[in-house]
Amino acid sequence: MSGSLYDVIIIGGGPAGCATAIALHQLGITKVLVVEGSDYSRERIGESIPPDTRGLFSRLGLWQVFEQQNHQRCLGSYSSWGSDDLGFNDFLFNPRGHGWHLDRLSFDRFMADEVRLRGIDFLSGVRFHQLNRDRQQQVTNIALTGSQSGEKQQQSCRFVVDASGRSASLARCIGARFKTQDNLLCVAGFFHRQELATDLALQHMTLLEAVEHGWWYSAHLPGDRIIAAFASDSEIILQHRLKQPEHWCRALAQTRHLGPALSPAKLPLSLHTWVAPSALLNPPAAEGWLAVGDAASCYDPISSQGIYKALLGGLNAAPAIAAWLQGDSRPLMDYRQSVGEAFINYLAQRAYFYQREQRWMQAAFWRKRHLASGIYQGEAATAVHE
Ligand SMILES: Cc1cc2nc3c(=O)[nH]c(=O)nc-3n(C[C@H](O)[C@H](O)[C@H](O)COP(=O)(O)OP(=O)(O)OC[C@H]3O[C@@H](n4cnc5c(N)ncnc54)[C@H](O)[C@@H]3O)c2cc1C
């Protein structure tokens, strides 16, 4: 595969990278290479997607095949937020129907298979390492390394896409930097349904519960698995030793709704920790490259918007790339602007949501979010216009 000049190389075969490759293919751009560092065997996070995602699957030509996958329907969410009561928000009146709780690994493998089925070159187990750009020739040379073998190779292209998720490894090589507005940490445990006294009513729902030091959520996944996750600041997690299963389980048991609903009979074998920042890449695009998905902007998991944003980003990025390859860079600059504007909208929604919780005004977690919401939006606006 070495040696040929690609129109586009995409670093990262997650939802954003695969959606970009498929959307480019729909526009007739087929000299595309996707480079994925993993072999899709390690646990991934991010499973709830809203009903509106159906429209994006349709636009990508994936709706019928996605429907045949075995993902769990999500009919709505219960939440205890701003009040001790458990409110219920269902999707019954959404014209697009229900959402889904994905088996995240099989979803990412499915997206990668759909890319390959279209005849698009796809390297997995190969990591982006370094790049060097020949601006006169308008060629970018990409150095790649086998994740296991350490074997090196080089590929060249005219346009390069960073879809490497929160690491934004390619964009950072070019000199772009994240402006981080918030740095949540999530500690998650996976259970099998048999290990829990789960209330059947919760089976097709997401459950969200605010507590003094952060918030919890749980979701029922395919294969009768259940995820429960606690989101807070790293110093609070450290102080309460919440990376240790016994402390994490004790904190879960102390919640008003989630603990009694799950009541795990035993500790999870291990806990997984993920950073969940709210951050905007500055800039998210420039001549010859763009970032998409989490590499361009990361949203708080409370929004359940990450995968939706990744798929939509791929659909928006493809025409901007196609135009750039034809010599018109205006759509690329529009794309760059739209990533920033969407981020500002997201910050406003997020601030509104966190402001609704007023029960623990003196607790460090909530004080920090209430104080910061105004400042965040001002800073983000600057990032877009820089
Ligand atoms: C705790 C938590 C809970 C979340 N919950 C939800 C949720 O309920 N719903 C939702 O929609 N979103 C959720 N998200 C967000 C969601 O997971 C992300 O927004 C989504 O995965 C972004 O997709 P992506 O393709 O941009 O990035 P990723 O999914 O991160 O994919 C990036 C890909 O690039 C590859 N890669 C990285 N570096 C390199 C390299 N150097 N070379 C080659 N390949 C590389 C990675 O292996 C990966 O496959 C959650 C996130 C967190 C942290």
Side-chain angles (χ1 to χ4, degrees):
M1 221 184 267
S2 188
S4 55
L5 177 68
Y6 287 98
D7 282 333
V8 185
I9 294 183
I10 299 169
I11 304 300
C18 291
T20 308
I22 291 169
L24 283 169
H25 188 264
Q26 287 176 325
L27 297 175
I29 296 165
T30 52
K31 280 165 69 182
V32 175
L33 169 67
V34 180
V35 179
E36 165 58 36
S38 76
D39 59 359
Y40 300 102
S41 58
R42 282 183 58 188
E43 197 74 72
R44 291 183 174 214
I45 189 82
E47 59 293 311
S48 303
I49 56 171
D52 291 0
T53 322
R54 175 182 177 153
L56 301 184
F57 287 132
S58 296
R59 286 173 63 191
L60 288 164
L62 295 175
W63 168 242
Q64 278 161 356
V65 267
F66 172 77
E67 233 191 336
Q68 288 157 18
Q69 303 285 303
N70 224 359
H71 300 291
Q72 185 93 31
R73 286 167 174 220
C74 170
L75 302 180
S77 59
Y78 285 102
S79 64
S80 168
W81 193 277
S83 147
D84 288 348
D85 297 338
L86 198 58
F88 177 52
N89 185 355
D90 64 36
F91 291 143
L92 282 183
F93 296 104
N94 189 313
R96 298 195 192 272
H98 57 81
W100 293 268
H101 289 158
L102 302 174
D103 174 335
R104 189 51 205 278
L105 259 185
S106 74
F107 176 70
D108 284 17
R109 283 194 205 116
F110 155 77
M111 290 294 290
D113 288 345
E114 288 298 317
V115 173
R116 291 192 189 98
L117 276 171
R118 284 158 177 75
I120 299 166
D121 287 347
F122 198 112
L123 291 171
S124 54
V126 174
R127 294 190 71 75
F128 161 79
H129 179 59
Q130 197 41 276
L131 100 175
N132 117 22
R133 303 172 81 199
D134 182 336
R135 283 170 199 271
Q136 260 183 347
Q137 302 292 323
Q138 289 206 340
V139 170
T140 300
N141 300 308
I142 308 270
L144 303 171
T145 310
S147 303
Q148 296 285 324
S149 62
E151 197 180 310
K152 300 210 181 314
Q153 59 171 291
Q154 183 173 299
Q155 299 290 347
S156 306
C157 61
R158 294 173 60 206
F159 193 97
V160 67
V161 173
D162 189 340
S164 66
R166 289 183 297 275
S167 67
S169 40
L170 183 136
R172 285 193 292 111
C173 263
I174 295 175
R177 292 290 175 267
F178 271 117
K179 280 205 167 191
T180 301
Q181 315 284 352
D182 194 317
N183 232 342
L184 278 182
L185 201 63
C186 289
V187 187
F190 291 88
F191 299 96
H192 195 271
R193 168 88 190 279
Q194 288 162 345
E195 298 162 358
L196 305 173
T198 309
D199 179 353
L200 271 180
L202 297 183
Q203 198 168 341
H204 295 290
M205 308 289 170
T206 307
L207 198 152
L208 175 68
E209 181 169 354
V211 293
E212 183 179 3
H213 299 303
W215 50 265
W216 286 86
Y217 85 92
S218 78
H220 199 129
L221 306 177
D224 256 352
R225 293 172 79 221
I226 285 155
I227 181 173
F230 179 61
S232 187
D233 291 319
S234 57
E235 56 276 16
I236 295 176
I237 285 173
L238 196 69
Q239 186 190 348
H240 295 269
R241 292 186 280 172
L242 293 171
K243 287 187 186 175
Q244 294 172 18
E246 60 275 28
H247 292 277
W248 183 89
C249 264
R250 197 172 306 141
L252 173 63
Q254 285 165 359
T255 58
R256 184 180 290 263
H257 302 287
L258 198 68
L262 297 181
S263 334
K266 56 177 191 179
L267 299 178
L269 282 183
S270 62
L271 295 172
H272 301 254
T273 304
W274 282 280
V275 285
S278 288
L280 173 66
L281 189 72
N282 186 21
E287 282 301 316
W289 71 275
L290 64 75
V292 66
D294 277 12
S297 61
C298 304
Y299 290 6
D300 191 318
I302 209 156
S303 70
S304 289
Q305 287 289 313
I307 294 167
Y308 184 94
K309 171 170 70 66
L311 302 178
L312 181 64
L315 281 160
N316 291 341
I321 299 168
W324 189 91
L325 291 170
Q326 298 287 324
D328 178 5
S329 40
R330 272 172 311 171
L332 185 62
M333 294 307 116
D334 292 344
Y335 171 85
R336 167 176 160 157
Q337 184 78 11
S338 70
V339 171
E341 286 168 359
F343 190 73
I344 292 172
N345 272 336
Y346 148 73
L347 285 183
Q349 285 169 17
R350 181 178 178 279
Y352 168 76
F353 199 69
Y354 277 96
Q355 288 287 354
R356 278 181 47 205
E357 180 52 79
Q358 303 272 333
R359 283 176 289 172
W360 300 284
M361 298 298 278
Q362 296 313 314
F365 179 83
W366 296 102
R367 210 171 49 232
K368 187 170 166 185
R369 273 141 197 102
H370 291 168
L371 281 177
S373 51
I375 306 166
Y376 290 167
Q377 289 174 57
E379 278 188 2
T382 322
V384 176
H385 297 294
E386 265 171 12

